[in-house]
């Protein structure tokens, strides 16, 4: 989880972001899908959306803060790529639910096969 601190009118407010908040947004999920295929610059990512570059940059910033995206620099260009270790954390959380639903669907399938007979 990433903590951000915003200061406004002598008041400090903490904003916490975690990977699940980051992937809750469909645009951020689409960005993750794009960079999963290949590393991309912010401009190349933005070309895939009907949003402003500034909006896409904010999405990239959130994904980076949550460590879902890593960046590397090649000359003057910054390339973003998927952080598979952080994606594995998401998978580890979801896996027990996947197993539970697979078992339930398998039981339902068995019941339906018996029902057809």
């Amino acid at each position: 989880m990433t903590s951000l601190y915003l200061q406004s009118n002598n008041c400090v407010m903490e904003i916490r972001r975690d990977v699940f908040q980051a992937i809750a947004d469909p645009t951020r999920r689409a960005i993750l899908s794009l960079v999963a295929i290949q590393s991309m610059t912010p401009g190349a990512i933005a070309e895939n959306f009907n949003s402003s570059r500034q909006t896409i940059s904010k999405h990239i910033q959130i994904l980076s803060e949550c460590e879902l995206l890593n960046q590397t620099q090649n000359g003057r260009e910054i390339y973003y790529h998927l952080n598979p270790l952080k994606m594995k954390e998401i998978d580890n959380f979801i896996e027990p639910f996947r197993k539970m639903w697979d078992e339930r669907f398998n039981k339902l399938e068995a019941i339906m096969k018996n029902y057809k007979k």
Side-chain angles (χ1 to χ4, degrees):
M1 183 176 333
T2 302
S3 295
L4 300 173
Y5 297 92
L6 299 177
Q7 188 168 356
S8 174
N9 299 332
N10 296 325
C11 176
V12 176
M13 181 173 71
E14 182 180 2
I15 297 175
R16 292 180 181 223
R17 290 195 179 119
D18 67 14
V19 294
F20 294 99
Q21 289 172 318
I23 64 173
D25 186 275
T27 301
R28 291 195 283 270
R29 289 192 306 268
I31 291 170
L32 290 172
S33 295
L34 285 170
V35 298
I37 298 167
Q38 67 180 25
S39 296
M40 298 177 81
T41 64
I45 294 169
E47 289 174 3
N48 291 277
F49 298 93
N50 291 329
S51 301
S52 70
R53 283 183 64 135
Q54 184 178 13
T55 299
I56 298 304
S57 290
K58 183 64 179 170
H59 286 300
I60 292 170
Q61 177 187 356
I62 291 168
L63 292 168
S64 296
E65 288 170 358
C66 295
E67 300 175 358
L68 287 165
L69 291 182
N70 289 331
Q71 66 181 31
T72 55
Q73 191 156 353
N74 186 2
R76 294 185 345 185
E77 294 288 341
I78 294 174
Y79 288 85
Y80 289 93
H81 49 93
L82 195 64
N83 178 356
L85 296 177
K86 208 59 161 174
M87 294 301 292
K88 184 68 177 156
E89 283 183 34
I90 296 169
D91 182 57
N92 289 342
F93 176 80
I94 293 171
E95 184 59 28
F97 298 102
R98 185 181 298 125
K99 287 180 181 176
M100 176 186 68
W101 283 106
D102 281 345
E103 289 173 8
R104 289 181 179 185
F105 284 124
N106 289 339
K107 287 179 184 176
L108 179 60
E109 183 179 20
I111 292 169
M112 295 303 290
K113 285 180 180 177
N114 287 334
Y115 182 73
K116 287 181 182 179
K117 293 178 182 176

